[in-house]
Amino acid sequence: MKKFIFILPVFLICLTGCGAETGSIECTLSTNDVINGYQLNSTYKINYKGDFAESVETTEIVTSDSTDTLDYFENYLNTTYQTFDDTYGGYTYKVTKEDGKVTSDVTIDYNEMDIEQYVEDQPSLKTYVEDNKMLKDGLISIYEDMGATCNN
């Protein structure tokens, strides 16, 4: 009987958390826009548990000789990420401009984000969500469709 009492809690703990693989997948994307005079290098690190994305850490670096182009990207990125955080939550970001570059470091925490509202506003993402959680493979598909290469 004592053996059963010990095994039952361990079994219940494993039912609720054992076996869910955790890890990260990195996707990279580079764009060289000669016409508009900038280069964009992006890295997306998808942190996951099981089939679901927990968060994405993004670094985007825009390089240009044009101050106007850099000002545009700095404003655009700040405005975009602030709007997304205000609307859905879960965004932490920092955008800096120096030495001919604009760098944005962004973390999207899907556990803090209003996924239901996000999908309602962007119905095409519905296939990438299950049980109100972002699917890891869905994010990989989104990034690869943009032209990124992922190390999955």
Side-chain angles (χ1 to χ4, degrees), residues 78-97:
N78 273 311
T79 302
T80 299
Y81 293 131
Q82 186 62 56
T83 301
F84 272 73
D85 189 45
D86 290 345
T87 306
Y88 308 112
Y91 279 74
T92 306
Y93 68 95
K94 180 180 179 183
V95 178
T96 57
K97 181 177 76 169

Side-chain angles (χ1 to χ4, degrees), residues 22-29 41-49 52-60 81 90 92 104-110 134-137 139-140 143-144 146 148-152:
T22 61
S24 64
I25 295 171
E26 189 170 282
C27 303
T28 57
L29 176 65
N41 293 307
S42 304
T43 303
Y44 311 98
K45 181 180 175 188
I46 303 168
N47 300 303
Y48 65 88
K49 183 174 182 182
F52 301 103
E54 298 282 309
S55 65
V56 172
E57 299 170 40
T58 302
T59 299
E60 297 167 312
Y81 293 131
T92 306
S104 70
D105 291 304
V106 182
T107 300
I108 306 168
D109 184 343
Y110 291 110
M134 292 297 292
L135 290 165
K136 168 188 70 175
D137 289 341
L139 287 176
I140 292 168
Y143 292 131
E144 288 180 338
M146 292 182 344
T149 302
C150 299
N151 69 350
N152 51 341

